[in-house]
Amino acid sequence: MGAPPYEEKETCGTICLKYLLFTFNFLFWMAGGVVMAVGIWTLVEKSDYISLLSSSTYAASAYILILAGAIVMVTGVLGCCATFKEQRNLLRVYFVLLLCIFLLEILAGILAYIYYQQLNEELKQNLRETMVKKYMAEGQEHITKAVDKLQQEFKCCGSNGSSDWADSLWINTNDEKQKRVPDSCCKTQMNGCGKRDHPSNIYKVEGGCITKLENFILDHLKIIGAVGVGIACVQVVGMVFTCCLYRSLKAEPY
């Protein structure tokens, strides 16, 4: 006479776990879309600035988020199927995918943190050289576009200041010796405006474009790191629910 109440209790517990896991999967699927959107936004909207960096760590973090987000969305659907079909094999696959995504997002967070620490040194070593040697150079149109966009968008001129352009290979060619800075340094950009190197005409920003670009990328790294680690921590809850449901189904008679 004591067996039925026990079975009923187990069934109720399983039903609760199923609905909890289904709710988690729905929210998890939405979170996957957010993770993927952050990665795509980083690569598409700010891809010009990525070309100014010598390291691929910043781009790699974004790619990892896109991959993780795509897997999250597929995993969310699989999790719903596994939950309502009550198939332990699917639950095992679901748990392994959750674990893989967890590791991917932790990796993205770690990469973002590591790059956060070394970004200033990289910009100091490479941004000036990139501007001086590659601006307007043949085959470096993407660099030229990125530098012009950087100076106009952040209202800066040169890596450390406008005086950096005095060493530019482009400025020192016969055709461009009249120019002191690129036209993109001008507060009001027009053809030939870079001939007059005066604070009333061009941007004079303390720290130059290095400071502006560094602050911009640091803000993005914070977002990438926070999203990656935050979603990864939430996944721990999903893995716990999955383990509980798996054990509950295993304990029930066939």
Side-chain angles (χ1 to χ4, degrees):
M1 296 293 293
Y6 175 78
E7 290 180 4
E8 184 179 350
K9 180 181 178 181
E10 286 293 299
T11 303
C12 288
T14 301
I15 290 172
C16 289
L17 282 171
K18 282 171 60 177
Y19 280 101
L20 280 172
L21 194 54
F22 177 80
T23 303
F24 169 81
N25 277 308
F26 177 72
L27 296 175
F28 189 51
W29 181 83
M30 293 180 65
V34 172
V35 170
M36 191 161 58
V38 169
I40 293 172
W41 172 62
T42 300
L43 292 177
V44 174
E45 289 295 319
K46 306 303 175 184
S47 59
D48 291 331
Y49 299 145
I50 292 175
S51 66
L52 297 176
L53 304 173
S54 60
S55 170
S56 59
T57 308
Y58 180 57
S61 298
Y63 279 119
I64 289 173
L65 283 186
I66 293 173
L67 176 62
I71 298 175
V72 163
M73 298 187 78
V74 173
T75 303
V77 176
L78 176 64
C80 290
C81 294
T83 301
F84 280 98
K85 288 188 176 182
E86 299 185 7
Q87 293 185 3
R88 284 179 289 152
N89 287 338
L90 280 178
L91 284 173
R92 278 198 292 265
V93 173
Y94 175 64
F95 180 85
V96 171
L97 285 174
L98 278 182
L99 184 60
C100 290
I101 298 164
F102 176 82
L103 295 175
L104 273 176
E105 288 172 340
I106 289 294
L107 177 61
I110 291 173
L111 284 175
Y113 177 77
I114 291 173
Y115 195 56
Y116 186 95
Q117 305 299 315
Q118 67 184 40
L119 178 62
N120 181 266
E121 193 61 31
E122 179 186 326
L123 288 177
K124 283 181 180 178
Q125 291 178 0
N126 297 291
L127 186 59
R128 185 180 186 279
E129 184 177 356
T130 298
M131 286 183 164
V132 167
K133 293 184 178 180
K134 296 183 178 180
Y135 185 80
M136 285 292 185
E138 186 177 351
Q140 300 293 337
E141 290 79 10
H142 63 294
I143 295 292
T144 301
K145 179 184 175 183
V147 170
D148 285 337
K149 182 178 178 180
L150 174 68
Q151 294 188 142
Q152 275 293 298
E153 189 169 310
F154 292 129
K155 303 184 188 307
C156 59
C157 184
S159 56
N160 295 291
S162 59
S163 59
D164 289 340
W165 286 109
D167 298 323
S168 169
L169 297 178
W170 169 68
I171 290 290
N172 288 300
T173 60
N174 292 329
D175 294 337
E176 299 297 341
K177 278 190 174 179
Q178 290 184 342
K179 286 193 176 182
R180 307 293 298 276
V181 295
D183 292 342
S184 57
C185 281
C186 300
K187 294 179 179 178
T188 302
Q189 188 175 359
M190 62 182 68
N191 189 33
C193 65
K195 294 178 181 179
R196 193 166 70 92
D197 182 12
H198 190 273
S200 63
N201 182 50
I202 67 169
Y203 294 115
K204 296 279 188 178
V205 179
E206 186 177 350
C209 291
I210 283 181
T211 302
K212 295 282 189 175
L213 183 58
E214 180 184 12
N215 290 337
F216 167 79
I217 294 178
L218 288 179
D219 288 341
H220 276 251
L221 288 174
K222 289 176 185 176
I223 294 172
I224 291 174
V227 168
V229 175
I231 299 297
C233 290
V234 171
Q235 285 174 233
V236 175
V237 178
M239 287 189 279
V240 171
F241 285 160
T242 304
C243 288
C244 292
L245 180 59
Y246 180 83
R247 292 184 65 183
S248 175
L249 291 176
K250 190 175 182 179
E252 289 179 354
Y254 293 101

